[in-house]
Amino acid sequence: MIKKVVLVHPLLLVLLVILSSSSLFCIFYYSLEKSLISYFCYIFSFYTLSIFVIRVVSVIKRIDIKEEKKRLSDKNKVLERYFSDQKYHFFLLFSVSIPVNILYALIKTIYGVVINSHWIIENGIYYILLTMMRLIVIEGAKRGGKKEIVATRISSFILSLSSVLYLFMVLEMYYNASAPNYPGVIVYAAALYSFVKVGTAIKGYISIRNIKTPAIKVANTVKVSHAFVSLIFLESGMLNIFGSGGKDERTLLLVSGIVVAIFLLFSGVAVCINLKDSTSSISKETRKK
């Protein structure tokens, strides 16, 4: 009986997901969060989400990941390198967001200038710095050796420098209640994206911590730092929508923002301090070659 309730037919599951999503959209769109029907929708959505996750997990368990990787690698040389070369795998994923960062930086900076908003301009400059860090790290990783060390130092310096800009943004959030504007249910998508970003950044940091190359170290630090920055943006956006605008809320945002700013500052410094070990390891590898 329980199995039938949990492992429903795939077509029925698709229908339940559509109904669940539609009901939640109507609840939030028509501001029915406190109505009686909303509680039934929440329970229904929780049930749908639970059986969906169970179904996904059961499907993944049936897949032989090693065999699937081998099959894909045999078909495509790029995929073969992607699965076998951990460094290539990392930097390929690291570079995917660069076009989005460039576009976001341009839109934010130009829009901020047009409406004369210092906070939005600062957002744009932050994304320009983020893009610069990514490009410098990738270029340094391609060249290797001393150029990789130089690229790592420059990126670490930019990361620490970005903490000052980010602190100004946090102070603007505190004093002028500046915050990202998430229309409608977009805030929930933004929340999901931010938490997934933090999770994947931390997982990536742990999974390749044994790779001692300088470029990997600073790239990992940049990913984790940006993930934490995204969380503070989300926090300010959610407080702007759901908060009362009280001083306690803004103080909480200020404290958490300052913590992240300190993390950005010392992360760049820490990478530079640890660079000595990586330099010696690169020198040893060069001698062996």
Side-chain angles (χ1 to χ4, degrees):
M1 178 66 182
I2 296 173
K3 194 174 180 180
K4 288 181 179 179
V5 173
V6 174
L7 297 175
V8 299
H9 192 278
L11 289 176
L12 178 59
L13 180 58
V14 171
L15 179 62
L16 290 174
V17 169
I18 293 169
L19 288 173
S20 172
S21 305
S22 302
S23 63
L24 283 176
F25 176 79
C26 291
I27 290 293
F28 293 120
Y29 186 79
Y30 293 107
S31 303
L32 300 171
E33 292 92 337
K34 294 183 180 180
S35 64
L36 181 62
I37 194 169
S38 67
Y39 295 101
F40 290 104
C41 288
Y42 297 150
I43 294 168
F44 173 61
S45 298
F46 176 75
Y47 164 71
T48 305
L49 179 62
S50 301
I51 63 172
F52 178 78
V53 171
I54 291 168
R55 171 65 70 175
V56 169
V57 171
S58 65
V59 169
I60 291 171
K61 280 184 176 179
R62 288 194 219 115
I63 299 171
D64 188 338
I65 295 173
K66 287 184 179 179
E67 188 62 35
E68 193 65 23
K69 281 184 178 180
K70 187 177 180 303
R71 186 181 67 80
L72 291 170
S73 297
D74 292 339
K75 286 183 177 181
N76 191 298
K77 292 294 180 184
V78 175
L79 286 174
E80 183 182 1
R81 189 181 175 191
Y82 178 79
F83 290 129
S84 60
D85 188 340
Q86 204 171 13
K87 190 175 177 180
Y88 176 78
H89 170 97
F90 176 83
F91 279 109
L92 185 65
L93 294 179
F94 186 69
S95 60
V96 165
S97 60
I98 288 176
V100 178
N101 288 157
I102 293 171
L103 182 65
Y104 205 69
L106 288 171
I107 291 171
K108 282 280 187 181
T109 307
I110 294 168
Y111 182 62
V113 170
V114 169
I115 67 168
N116 195 26
S117 170
H118 298 294
W119 188 74
I120 295 177
I121 293 171
E122 287 163 5
N123 267 259
I125 295 170
Y126 169 77
Y127 276 95
I128 290 170
L129 294 176
L130 180 65
T131 305
M132 284 173 60
M133 284 187 279
R134 288 180 183 271
L135 289 171
I136 291 167
V137 169
I138 291 167
E139 191 60 30
K142 283 179 185 176
R143 296 185 179 188
K146 288 183 179 179
K147 289 184 178 177
E148 183 176 354
I149 300 293
V150 172
T152 302
R153 284 185 178 138
I154 293 170
S155 297
S156 301
F157 174 74
I158 295 172
L159 180 61
S160 294
L161 184 66
S162 69
S163 67
V164 180
L165 174 67
Y166 179 68
L167 182 61
F168 280 115
M169 292 164 66
V170 170
L171 292 172
E172 187 91 14
M173 290 178 194
Y174 177 74
Y175 288 109
N176 299 328
S178 300
N181 184 24
Y182 299 111
V185 294
I186 299 296
V187 66
Y188 300 102
L192 177 63
Y193 174 72
S194 296
F195 286 116
V196 168
K197 184 189 282 188
V198 170
T200 52
I202 293 171
K203 180 181 178 294
Y205 191 91
I206 294 168
S207 64
I208 60 172
R209 67 188 182 279
N210 295 325
I211 300 178
K212 302 294 184 183
T213 60
I216 289 282
K217 279 186 176 181
V218 73
N220 252 330
T221 306
V222 168
K223 280 181 71 177
V224 174
S225 301
H226 179 56
F228 288 146
V229 168
S230 297
L231 273 184
I232 303 301
F233 283 152
L234 174 67
E235 181 186 355
S236 64
M238 295 194 83
L239 285 175
N240 187 40
I241 296 170
F242 303 111
S244 60
K247 191 175 179 181
D248 291 343
E249 292 176 356
R250 289 188 291 116
T251 303
L252 176 65
L253 178 63
L254 177 66
V255 171
S256 54
I258 289 173
V259 168
V260 172
I262 293 169
F263 179 81
L264 292 176
L265 175 64
F266 286 103
S267 292
V269 174
V271 171
C272 285
I273 291 171
N274 294 328
L275 201 56
K276 203 171 183 181
D277 298 331
S278 299
T279 308
S280 60
S281 67
I282 285 177
S283 300
K284 287 176 185 176
E285 286 177 14
T286 309
R287 285 170 196 165
K288 285 178 184 177
K289 289 177 183 178

